[in-house]
């Protein structure tokens, strides 16, 4: 079951069937569906996007979240745990996107702190991984800022909606690294608050 993870700025709540319209509205800020290196829903694809995520949840391999502002529950994006492997205590954080105005803000930092805390401290993961498109420089930089380690390049890792064969870069954080990663994220959040 997908939990609700609450922070001061954002809340990650379980994705719901009724979120389709809210997600496509959030993605309209920046027309994120036109990005070549990720899959973000538009009005025409939002229902299927949500249905696929919820099908993965029913199978036990996905925990999909809607990212909302804690202050008024406005939807600003989506993320999920997926490739959940309970036997080996590992998972991937991915399918993450934010409305353009919330990119490169404290929202992503707090989101990752909430997700990683739950993964390492509640699910007792020994490994959390991230995968991003080789073309997505911003995502690569953001993952490295978390304190993740780049592990390698995965060629033809998936087929994008436009038919492009995507080459991806994989990163991970392991349980021994989590205390330092947590401290770094907490410090970054503190800095965001002090700079306001």
């Amino acid at each position: 079951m997908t939990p609700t993870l609450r922070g001061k700025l954002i809340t990650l709540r379980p994705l719901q069937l009724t979120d389709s319209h809210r997600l496509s509205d959030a993605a309209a800020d920046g027309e994120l569906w036109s990005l070549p290196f990720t899959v973000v829903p538009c009005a025409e694809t939002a229902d299927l996007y949500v249905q696929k995520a919820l099908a993965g949840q029913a199978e036990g391999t996905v925990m999909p979240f809607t990212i909302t502002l804690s202050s008024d529950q406005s939807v600003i994006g989506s993320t999920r745990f997926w490739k959940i492997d309970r036997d080996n205590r590992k998972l991937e954080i991915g399918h993450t996107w934010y409305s353009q105005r919330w990119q490169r803000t404290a929202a992503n930092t707090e989101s990752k702190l909430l997700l990683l805390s739950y993964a390492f401290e509640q699910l007792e993961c020994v490994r959390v991984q991230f995968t991003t498109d080789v073309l997505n420089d911003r995502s690569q930089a953001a993952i490295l800022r978390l304190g993740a380690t780049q592990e390698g390049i995965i060629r033809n890792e998936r087929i994008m909606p436009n038919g492009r064969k995507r080459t991806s870069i994989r990163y991970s954080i392991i349980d021994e690294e989590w205390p330092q990663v947590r401290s770094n994220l907490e410090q970054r959040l503190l800095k965001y608050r002090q700079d306001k």
Side-chain angles (χ1 to χ4, degrees):
M1 187 167 138
T2 302
T4 296
L5 307 177
R6 291 186 175 86
K8 290 184 178 178
L9 175 62
I10 62 152
T11 296
L12 304 177
R13 64 159 173 78
L15 179 70
Q16 302 166 356
L17 267 176
T18 54
D19 283 333
S20 298
H21 181 69
R22 293 181 191 94
L23 290 174
S24 61
D25 283 352
D29 176 16
E31 296 184 359
L32 304 181
W33 51 78
S34 64
L35 294 171
F37 41 69
T38 190
V39 177
V40 178
C42 64
E44 292 77 28
T45 62
D47 285 342
L48 183 58
Y49 180 88
V50 170
Q51 288 165 12
K52 279 186 173 180
L54 293 178
Q57 179 177 258
E59 293 167 2
T61 59
V62 176
M63 288 184 190
F65 298 93
T66 299
I67 305 170
T68 68
L69 296 178
S70 296
S71 58
D72 63 6
Q73 287 74 57
S74 301
V75 173
I76 64 167
S78 186
T79 190
R80 67 188 69 163
F81 291 139
W82 69 306
K83 298 183 182 177
I84 297 170
D85 179 346
R86 294 182 187 277
D87 290 340
N88 292 298
R89 291 165 44 203
K90 64 179 183 173
L91 54 78
E92 183 163 328
I93 295 173
H95 296 269
T96 303
W97 57 270
Y98 299 88
S99 299
Q100 189 170 54
R101 76 187 67 160
W102 288 100
Q103 294 173 14
R104 302 183 82 159
T105 70
N108 186 49
T109 304
E110 187 170 62
S111 173
K112 291 303 187 291
L113 179 59
L114 292 169
L115 289 166
L116 288 165
S117 295
Y118 191 82
F120 285 114
E121 297 170 15
Q122 302 301 315
L123 299 178
E124 299 182 335
C125 286
V126 299
R127 170 188 172 84
V128 174
Q129 71 182 33
F130 305 84
T131 307
T132 192
D133 196 307
V134 72
L135 301 178
N136 194 343
D137 295 333
R138 274 185 162 191
S139 179
Q140 292 167 43
I143 293 168
L144 287 171
R145 276 195 307 273
L146 290 174
T149 297
Q150 181 178 325
E151 294 182 326
I153 294 175
I154 307 151
R155 299 176 300 161
N156 292 356
E157 189 255 343
R158 69 184 75 170
I159 306 291
M160 299 303 286
N162 66 1
R164 178 176 67 91
K165 292 179 277 189
R166 176 177 129 164
T167 294
S168 297
I169 305 176
R170 175 135 315 143
Y171 303 82
S172 71
I173 299 168
I174 59 173
D175 53 348
E176 291 93 340
E177 298 162 343
W178 167 235
Q180 184 60 55
V181 170
R182 180 181 185 116
S183 176
N184 291 344
L185 286 169
E186 289 171 342
Q187 289 301 311
R188 284 176 55 204
L189 270 181
L190 188 60
K191 186 175 185 315
Y192 275 121
R193 291 178 187 133
Q194 290 171 343
D195 290 346
K196 286 181 79 173

